[in-house]
Each structure stands twice: as C-alpha cells, then as structure tokens.
Amino acid sequence: AEAVRSMLATDAWDVLTANSKAGLDYYDLWALRSAPLSIDYDCWFDARSVGRRGSCDSYELRIDARAPMLPVESAFNGLSVYRFSKLTRASRRCMYDGSATCEHVAFHACLRRDGLRIAIAPFLEQGCGNGAPRPPPPNVRVRVLGDGSIQVKMHTGIAKLDSWTADRRQAHELTVVQPAALLS
C-alpha cells in the first residue's frame, strides 16, 4: 500500500520495484541494471563482462529500507508496481522473444524508451526465500545506506579484475555515489 501511495503522491516514478527484507541479500541481480550499484550488465550470460567483473554470485547487495528511491534502468526482485495509465500506453510495443537477457531488462528498456522512470523502492520489502546467499566471500559488496549513499567494497581476488586495481589482493572501499547524484 505504501508503494502505491508513494507512486500516486508524485509523478517522479512510473515503476517501483521491491527490495529484500533487512538482513537478506537482494536476490534478483539478473533483472537489475544500475551503474551506480555496479551491476550494469548481464551477470549470468554476458561472458565478457562476467570474465572481467564477476557473475551474479560474485555480488552481495543490501539496501537499507530507509534509503531514498534508487533510480535504475531495470529491476524486479519479486515484485513491481506499475503506474497503469503509463503502462498500457507504452507496453503495447514491448515484446520479449526469449533470445536476449532477462525478460525484465528487455521490458524495462522498452518502457524507458517511452519515458517511463523506474526505481527500487527500498521500503517495499519482500521476503522471497532467504534472499540470495552468495558463496562466501562475495567479490563485490554493495551497500545502499539510509541516507542514499552507495558504498562498494571490492575484494579483487578475481584475476580479471586486476585492471581495476594494482594490487589484486587488497580490498578497496569507496563511496561511489551520493544521494543527490542519483537523480541527475
């Protein structure tokens, strides 16, 4: 109900997608596309990017429920709320033939071409299964904090990540994006 009220209170978002419950990893990385969250590629089937940056199993993403809306190119995570008036107009041209990546990515790319705006609603928590536990330790840990800042910690033990850092054994923690930068 809060997601619907939030969507109706403003026209900032046309699609709101779910977060995972506190303490659980965001599980639907295949549908997620977001450069600020460090997952802007098909982490299962884009062999080139997986070889350089790691598969979905290499990532651990947790989003604080108090964080502001997170604009994304695509997301799902078990639940999406669509602004019906915009969806019916835009989705007539959106088709998925099963030959590309995750169906949500193709659908959301089509919707975005028609100007629809997509965000993860951190307060919209769902509890599918037990999140997405990754084989320990994950190579990339992403945290979205309550103030909306994003922290990425890379354990660059993957040989292919050596172009990102001179010392592959060292973990790097850095704030990637501040909240205001997400909306620009």
Side-chain angles (χ1 to χ4, degrees):
E2 184 179 347
V4 173
R5 280 194 297 275
S6 177
M7 187 180 281
L8 293 175
T10 176
D11 66 351
W13 307 109
D14 303 305
V15 180
L16 295 180
T17 67
N19 186 13
S20 293
K21 284 186 179 178
L24 297 179
D25 296 347
Y26 188 95
Y27 87 94
D28 196 4
L29 295 173
W30 194 34
L32 179 61
R33 296 295 185 278
S34 170
L37 295 178
S38 298
I39 192 85
D40 54 356
Y41 65 98
D42 184 332
C43 59
W44 286 129
F45 297 109
D46 178 350
R48 186 174 187 187
S49 293
V50 167
R52 274 193 352 256
R53 299 171 60 190
S55 73
C56 292
D57 281 340
S58 301
Y59 283 81
E60 178 186 276
L61 170 61
R62 293 195 180 172
I63 302 170
D64 190 310
R66 298 166 298 179
M69 302 286 197
L70 297 168
V72 294
E73 289 82 43
S74 178
F76 180 64
N77 209 40
L79 177 67
S80 291
V81 179
Y82 293 86
R83 189 180 301 271
F84 188 72
S85 61
K86 298 258 182 122
L87 181 65
T88 56
R89 203 174 42 235
S91 66
R92 289 188 184 117
R93 291 185 309 284
C94 299
M95 304 297 277
Y96 179 69
D97 65 7
S99 65
T101 185
C102 174
E103 71 276 13
H104 298 288
V105 173
F107 183 55
H108 290 150
C110 179
L111 294 179
R112 283 193 341 275
R113 281 192 297 274
D114 277 343
L116 276 73
R117 293 142 309 168
I118 303 165
I120 296 173
F123 60 83
L124 182 59
E125 296 179 305
Q126 57 75 22
C128 288
N130 62 346
R134 307 285 182 224
N139 292 315
V140 181
R141 283 193 170 112
V142 181
R143 298 291 185 263
V144 179
L145 306 179
D147 67 357
S149 61
I150 299 171
Q151 292 183 341
V152 177
K153 188 174 204 174
M154 289 185 264
H155 297 274
T156 52
I158 298 175
K160 299 292 184 178
L161 289 179
D162 60 1
S163 64
W164 289 19
T165 178
D167 183 359
R168 294 177 303 174
R169 295 164 298 174
Q170 186 176 5
H172 296 276
E173 186 163 340
L174 58 138
T175 300
V176 175
V177 178
Q178 293 299 321
L182 287 171
L183 297 175
S184 56

